[in-house]
């Protein structure tokens, strides 16, 4: 299995531009998570999906952030307009819940976003 | 709410030294506890976990015991190697969902 795939690995953009981060979860996993990592705040959960449906988006910082999961194999996190304080590493993770048992979250390599 | 507190780094040790990274938690109910490791430039990998009180998680020489009475899940290794240099995250998952609450992370540097 290729693991969780994220693209791009690095993104540099100017303030005010739209940014789209992409994630392909592990095939068969039914949960998908978006996290943000910064030096100041550490790792924060932004949103997570179950079977493509958003379950908890309380971690999304503001309306400039949106996430979608149109199908089981693809999710996007969009920032519009971007601001310098959005600079961070964004991680996608996926996991499986089967027979009432939780399985570990597998993380992608992350997208390092720099907004100038 | 649920939260995790872990010791601040960086922690610098010589090869073969004993490692302890402290982690305490606050949670309602009976959470599951995890240690994740992040090597430079990579995503997080699960190192070990424990799902109930007194469980001991272990992997690659690392161990942690779920102590409900002290709400702790300290990470230990008897003899660290240079290849253990990484950032270690303690995390919990509450009963009501699978989303993880992470600590701030502890950077470990092991020198030859």
């Amino acid at each position: 299995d290729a693991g969780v795939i994220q693209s791009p690995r690095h993104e540099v953009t100017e303030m005010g531009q739209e940014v789209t981060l992409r994630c392909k979860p592990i095939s068969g996993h039914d949960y998908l998570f978006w996290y943000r990592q910064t030096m100041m705040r550490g790792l924060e959960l932004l949103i997570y999906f179950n079977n493509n449906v958003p379950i908890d988006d309380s971690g999304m910082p503001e309306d400039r952030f949106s996430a979608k999961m149109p199908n089981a194999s693809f999710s996007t996190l969009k920032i519009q307009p971007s601001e310098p304080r959005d600079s961070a590493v964004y991680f996608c993770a996926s996991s499986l819940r089967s027979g009432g048992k939780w399985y570990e979250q597998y993380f992608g390599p992350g997208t390092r976003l720099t907004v100038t | 709410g649920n939260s995790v507190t872990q010791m601040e780094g960086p922690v610098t040790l010589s090869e073969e030294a004993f490692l302890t990274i402290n982690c305490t938690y606050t949670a309602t109910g009976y959470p599951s506890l995890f240690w994740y490791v992040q090597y430079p430039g990579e995503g997080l990998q699960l190192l070990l976990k424990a799902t109930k009180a007194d469980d001991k998680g272990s992997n690659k020489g690392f161990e942690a015991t779920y102590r409900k009475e002290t709400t702790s899940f300290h990470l230990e290794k008897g003899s660290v190697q240079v290849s253990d240099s990484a950032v270690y995250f303690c995390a919990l998952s509450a009963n009501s969902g699978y989303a993880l609450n992470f600590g701030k992370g502890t950077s470990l540097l092991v020198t030859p």
Side-chain angles (χ1 to χ4, degrees):
Chain A
D1 198 320
V4 177
I5 299 172
Q6 291 187 247
S7 65
R9 292 293 308 274
H10 302 273
E11 177 79 36
V12 180
T13 190
E14 292 183 348
M15 182 174 62
Q17 297 298 307
E18 177 179 294
V19 175
T20 299
L21 311 182
R22 298 172 176 79
C23 175
K24 178 179 168 55
I26 292 173
S27 176
H29 281 191
D30 55 352
Y31 282 80
L32 184 139
F33 306 82
W34 282 101
Y35 293 89
R36 178 172 69 175
Q37 184 180 37
T38 62
M39 289 294 291
M40 289 297 294
R41 300 173 68 89
L43 267 163
E44 305 171 280
L45 176 68
L46 299 177
I47 184 172
Y48 76 94
F49 296 82
N50 175 218
N51 291 325
N52 314 337
V53 176
I55 302 301
D56 184 353
D57 64 355
S58 59
M60 296 285 263
E62 48 198 276
D63 292 346
R64 297 184 298 106
F65 285 69
S66 62
K68 295 182 179 179
M69 192 165 187
N71 57 61
S73 59
F74 185 65
S75 177
T76 59
L77 178 67
K78 186 175 293 187
I79 309 172
Q80 166 64 15
S82 58
E83 296 182 4
R85 60 192 167 120
D86 302 330
S87 297
V89 180
Y90 291 81
F91 288 104
C92 176
S94 70
S95 70
L96 171 68
R97 186 176 189 218
S98 176
K101 180 179 177 181
W102 297 103
Y103 294 85
E104 69 171 282
Q105 290 187 25
Y106 289 84
F107 281 74
T111 295
R112 181 174 295 278
L113 173 65
T114 303
V115 183
T116 60
Chain B
N2 300 326
S3 66
V4 173
T5 302
Q6 60 183 106
M7 60 187 289
E8 293 189 16
V11 174
T12 302
L13 295 173
S14 298
E15 203 165 24
E16 299 184 1
F18 184 85
L19 169 71
T20 299
I21 300 178
N22 291 336
C23 171
T24 57
Y25 68 90
T26 302
T28 54
Y30 303 93
S32 295
L33 301 173
F34 306 82
W35 277 100
Y36 277 79
V37 58
Q38 183 179 29
Y39 298 103
E42 298 184 11
L44 281 73
Q45 303 173 26
L46 179 65
L47 181 59
L48 53 84
K49 68 179 181 183
T51 57
K52 61 183 187 294
D54 300 325
D55 267 1
K56 176 186 284 188
S58 61
N59 186 26
K60 299 180 181 179
F62 291 89
E63 293 183 340
T65 301
Y66 187 161
R67 302 285 188 200
K68 193 172 189 301
E69 63 276 13
T70 55
T71 61
S72 65
F73 192 55
H74 305 321
L75 181 69
E76 297 182 335
K77 187 175 185 182
S79 176
V80 293
Q81 305 300 311
V82 172
S83 57
D84 294 327
S85 298
V87 180
Y88 292 82
F89 292 89
C90 185
L92 71 81
S93 173
N95 271 351
S96 59
Y98 193 51
L100 291 166
N101 293 94
F102 285 93
K104 289 289 183 69
T106 302
S107 176
L108 170 67
L109 176 63
V110 180
T111 58

